[in-house]
Amino acid sequence: MYLLYCGLLVIWVLLLWPAFRLKGGARLWLLVVIAAGIAALLHEIRMYLWSHAAIRLDILLISMALGGLYGSAAVLLFFKRWWKTAALLAVPLVVIGGGMSYKWIEVSRESQRLGETIEESNRLLFQAKFRDAETYESYFGPFTGASGNLPTGHWQIEGRSHFTRLIINSEGRVWLFFQCQEDTECESGVAGPELHESGDNPRQWAASLKPLAGLPFDIKITQSDSATLSVDVRDKTVRFVKAPPPVDPAPVPQSLRFLGAFTKVECIRAHAKVRQIWLWEDGARLYGVGIVSTLVAGRQNLFVRPILMGEGTREGNAWRFAWHWDGRSGTALVALKGGNAIVTLDQDLDQHGRDLEDADQAVLKAGAVFSDERIELAPLTTGADWRHWFDNVFTGHFTSGYVPAC
């Protein structure tokens, strides 16, 4: 689409000769159109050389403006009996306009698809956290132990509100849920210190929560009795009542077993070569997700892109994985032995076929450098559910983690 846009930036050249020959208002209008084309061209040169904007809404606006101006110039030339020049201007204008319209329709459809994928991702994540009592306890707990006088447990909204439920565990961690789409809830979690007493009231607490996007915000919780909480959030007061969590009473039988994460970190001066894979077993089948990256050691690394390795093909006592993911492709042979994962990485190429990592073999021990709920909450029901999960929750997703110092 950018090439079509560039074509639109130079069509004004066709108007130079008519503007020179015509007189009066016709010449004046053609000069206005030419000036607009030149201004748009200079703007694009400036953007190309000195700006690195990822989202170019200006292209849409400029294209619409130039299309209208060029169209008016073609009509003017037609009435002035410059038929050949009018046709010469109209034909590329129609081709460019049609091509750009088609591309914008594609972008719109892709945007709609991404929106649906994000909605499905939110739905899957919410359901996963409550899919059974064990997962609920593991993710949100513990709910027993030294909690002092904290109002631990699951609290449901009383009445109607944007906020839906509140969960507090015995360590003072807080999750405030809200309606993020029609049939799904999302949550904001603790951003700063855990829930702590606020003021002199022993039944009043405060915490800072981090939303999905944006800056942290403060909440204040007041317990009026054993079954009711009042929460002050974003200049509103909402009431919650004690209620059982929406845990599925009859979880779907599981066919997969999560084997956990296996990791090896090799130091390369100030950097660390990190190999980490998460594995799931389904009888003779093996599923995997991995990270193979050279990262800065001794700091928190952000925007690390996991690889969806998919399902491996059995080769003797090992499994062969092949993937094409996020512009990268590769194959790996994975064998399980003595509680470790022996990984032979045959290739890891970018979209241009350049080697990103050397082919080698490494023994990955149980443990993790990176922890990611979008990986560790993957369903254990069927292989199809597992694939559907990662087809959605990995859209636009990066993970982060602290890489040990070398």
Side-chain angles (χ1 to χ4, degrees), residues 41-227:
L41 178 62
L42 294 176
H43 168 77
E44 188 56 32
I45 291 173
R46 181 183 67 83
M47 294 293 291
Y48 182 81
L49 294 177
W50 293 290
S51 177
H52 303 283
I55 300 176
R56 294 290 309 278
L57 292 178
D58 60 314
I59 290 179
L60 175 61
L61 299 176
I62 292 173
S63 299
M64 293 173 62
L66 289 181
L69 290 172
Y70 290 146
S72 68
V75 172
L76 175 64
L77 291 172
F78 179 81
F79 281 108
K80 291 296 182 179
R81 298 189 177 185
W82 283 65
W83 293 317
K84 290 184 179 180
T85 306
L88 191 62
L89 176 64
V91 169
L93 190 60
V94 169
V95 171
I96 292 173
M100 294 190 74
S101 297
Y102 176 77
K103 288 296 183 180
W104 278 115
I105 290 172
E106 278 193 338
V107 169
S108 177
R109 289 175 176 172
E110 178 63 13
S111 177
Q112 181 180 358
R113 186 194 67 82
L114 288 175
E116 292 172 351
T117 299
I118 291 172
E119 289 184 359
E120 177 67 2
S121 174
N122 290 336
R123 187 185 67 83
L124 291 172
L125 286 165
F126 177 76
Q127 291 179 347
K129 295 165 188 176
F130 296 95
R131 63 185 170 209
D132 55 49
E134 182 181 357
T135 303
Y136 171 75
E137 177 77 25
S138 174
Y139 187 87
F140 295 107
F143 295 101
T144 58
S147 62
N149 63 343
L150 295 178
T152 58
H154 176 272
W155 304 81
Q156 192 84 31
I157 190 68
E158 185 179 60
R160 296 180 60 85
S161 172
H162 170 65
F163 300 101
T164 55
R165 68 187 76 245
L166 180 74
I167 298 177
I168 304 171
N169 72 10
S170 61
E171 295 175 345
R173 290 186 58 81
V174 182
W175 293 264
L176 178 62
F177 286 78
F178 61 94
Q179 200 82 39
C180 55
Q181 57 203 54
E182 185 176 352
D183 60 346
T184 303
E185 301 171 32
C186 303
E187 83 271 9
S188 300
V190 173
E194 286 77 12
L195 198 65
H196 56 278
E197 290 187 1
S198 174
D200 298 328
N201 187 346
R203 307 305 296 170
Q204 191 173 83
W205 303 267
S208 180
L209 301 186
K210 180 70 172 67
L212 295 175
L215 298 174
F217 60 94
D218 296 331
I219 65 170
K220 184 170 68 176
I221 300 174
T222 304
Q223 186 171 27
S224 52
D225 56 62
S226 61

Side-chain angles (χ1 to χ4, degrees), residues 261-279:
F262 302 84
T263 306
K264 182 175 182 179
V265 178
E266 291 184 31
C267 291
I268 308 174
R269 294 181 293 279
H271 292 79
K273 185 176 181 179
V274 179
R275 305 179 190 85
Q276 178 172 324
I277 60 173
W278 292 262
L279 295 174

